[in-house]
Amino acid sequence: MSDSSGWGPAGPYGGPPGGWGWVPAPPPPKPGVIPLAPLGVDTVFGGAFATMRRYARPLFGLAALVHLAVAVLVLAAAAVAYAATSGHLHTIYDTPRHPRWADFRPVLLAFGAVWAFAVVGMTVAGAFVQASCAATLHDAVLGRRATLGQIWRRTWPRTPSVLGVTLLLGLILAIPMLLFAAVFVSFFLAVVGFGSDLPYGVLFLLMLAVVPLTVWLCVLFCFAPAAAVLEAARPVQALRRSARLMRGAWWRTFGIMLLGGLTAVVVSLVIRLPLMFAMPGPRPYDASSPPAADAAGVYAQSLPHSVAYLALSVVGSLVTQVFTMVFLPLISSLLYLDQRIRREGLAEVLLRVSGSVHE
């Protein structure tokens, strides 16, 4: 199967009968990382870890490459911003006169543009990684091999759709946040104007309503990236598809996604803590070369340790970020497949396709 658009609904999946209960039914077929049957929590997490293990090169390779590309572009933009505003920076930090707004404005504009560019780059990179996870899972459930180039060619055309899903979901989530901000400003003005303590209690109740609403929306549309890739759906269609598949399955999806988030936190701590303990300690005191008293000497003495700390921090942050960005989309994509198996008989389609692949 050349693309993912053929994963249409079929009849409900049913295993062979087990007789009068004395003969157990055979296990469902498992051509890839998951059995072609409704998935439990153990099979969802097992499928995610199996996919990361068997398809580590396309999954983590593409995620690392896209993050490296964004980092290089952001550093290049920061270098351009620094070169363009070096005169103003010299005026701000190295001249005795008090700097004026005309000195700060170009610096703020230049590095504000770098920050905006970094946000856009990370958003596009996140959408690409989500799309690559769903594209890799397309091959993983069928048990067929996938190279980095194949996943790239399948991922890149669907990245704009996943990016559209991300932006639309951001706008949807911004609505309750903006309402909360408007009410907060109104209550603040009321407190300043009238000196009443009542708005604080109302504001707390409003916050208690906004947070569950935001969580509900995030879970409701968490299947949209997988639908955008595996069904070639447009952003709005993918959001609607996610909402339809989520009917009756919100609490189960929320619980498994929460467990996945906790797992990502634990794995991140397991990776970060050894790096923190591996950092070199301060250099022992040497009477022949006492520590420098001036700021330049202290900076020169602490520079090697600072560089080592920065390098370890960057490595730890990159590893944990790549793992989280791969692991959580795999969990949501597996839950998306689980809902389609339960409701649309996707297992029969996958079984036929996997049979044709291995023939």
Side-chain angles (χ1 to χ4, degrees):
M1 186 172 58
S2 59
D3 57 17
S4 56
S5 59
W7 285 12
Y13 175 81
W20 292 89
W22 299 99
V23 180
K30 187 180 178 181
V33 295
I34 59 172
L36 300 185
L39 306 178
V41 178
D42 55 340
T43 50
V44 169
F45 280 82
F49 282 108
T51 303
M52 289 189 296
R53 183 176 65 254
R54 299 180 190 179
Y55 299 86
R57 181 174 296 180
L59 275 176
F60 296 109
L62 286 178
L65 284 176
V66 72
H67 278 85
L68 181 62
V70 171
V72 170
L73 292 176
V74 171
L75 288 176
V80 172
Y82 177 80
T85 59
S86 58
H88 298 282
L89 291 171
H90 175 74
T91 301
I92 294 172
Y93 290 104
D94 298 333
T95 57
R97 71 174 179 85
H98 186 73
R100 298 169 296 182
W101 170 245
D103 300 319
F104 285 102
R105 183 174 58 189
V107 176
L108 293 177
L109 290 176
F111 286 94
V114 173
W115 175 82
F117 178 74
V119 171
V120 172
M122 290 304 299
T123 304
V124 175
F128 181 86
V129 172
Q130 289 189 74
S132 68
C133 291
T136 304
L137 200 61
H138 175 272
D139 291 328
V141 297
L142 299 176
R144 60 186 183 186
R145 305 172 66 179
T147 63
L148 190 146
Q150 291 172 343
I151 299 301
W152 171 276
R153 288 190 293 271
R154 188 179 296 121
T155 299
W156 184 247
R158 303 310 310 160
T159 299
S161 183
V162 178
L163 180 61
V165 168
T166 303
L167 296 178
L168 286 177
L169 183 57
L171 291 176
I172 293 173
L173 296 178
I175 294 176
M177 297 298 180
L178 292 176
L179 291 176
F180 177 78
V183 175
F184 176 81
V185 172
S186 302
F187 284 172
F188 177 78
L189 295 177
V191 170
V192 172
F194 301 101
S196 174
D197 294 332
L198 178 62
Y200 287 109
V202 178
L203 185 65
F204 178 73
L205 294 176
L206 180 63
M207 184 179 66
L208 291 181
V210 169
V211 173
L213 177 61
T214 304
V215 174
W216 179 75
L217 289 172
C218 288
V219 177
L220 182 67
F221 297 119
C222 71
F223 293 161
V229 177
L230 297 178
E231 299 184 40
R234 295 180 179 179
V236 176
Q237 295 174 336
L239 291 172
R240 292 176 177 173
R241 178 70 164 149
S242 177
R244 287 195 298 268
L245 289 173
M246 196 62 67
R247 292 173 185 171
W250 190 94
W251 282 107
R252 180 175 183 270
T253 304
F254 168 73
I256 296 177
M257 292 299 296
L258 179 61
L259 185 59
L262 294 176
T263 303
V265 171
V266 171
V267 172
S268 299
L269 290 177
V270 170
I271 295 174
R272 284 176 178 270
L273 289 179
L275 293 177
M276 293 176 60
F277 288 114
M279 286 191 311
R283 189 178 61 180
Y285 175 75
D286 186 2
S288 61
S289 58
D294 58 332
V298 173
Y299 175 76
Q301 289 182 355
S302 62
L303 182 60
H305 305 298
S306 301
V307 171
Y309 174 76
L310 180 61
L312 289 174
S313 299
V314 169
V315 170
S317 299
L318 180 62
V319 171
T320 55
Q321 185 175 8
V322 169
F323 171 81
T324 302
M325 293 188 68
V326 169
F327 179 69
L328 293 180
L330 284 178
I331 294 293
S332 62
S333 298
L334 285 167
L335 289 173
Y336 156 84
L337 293 176
D338 175 57
Q339 284 301 109
R340 292 198 60 187
I341 288 173
R342 293 173 184 269
R343 296 188 175 188
E344 300 174 352
L346 182 64
E348 291 188 355
V349 178
L350 296 177
L351 184 59
R352 289 197 299 268
V353 173
S354 65
S356 64
V357 168
H358 294 291
E359 284 179 357

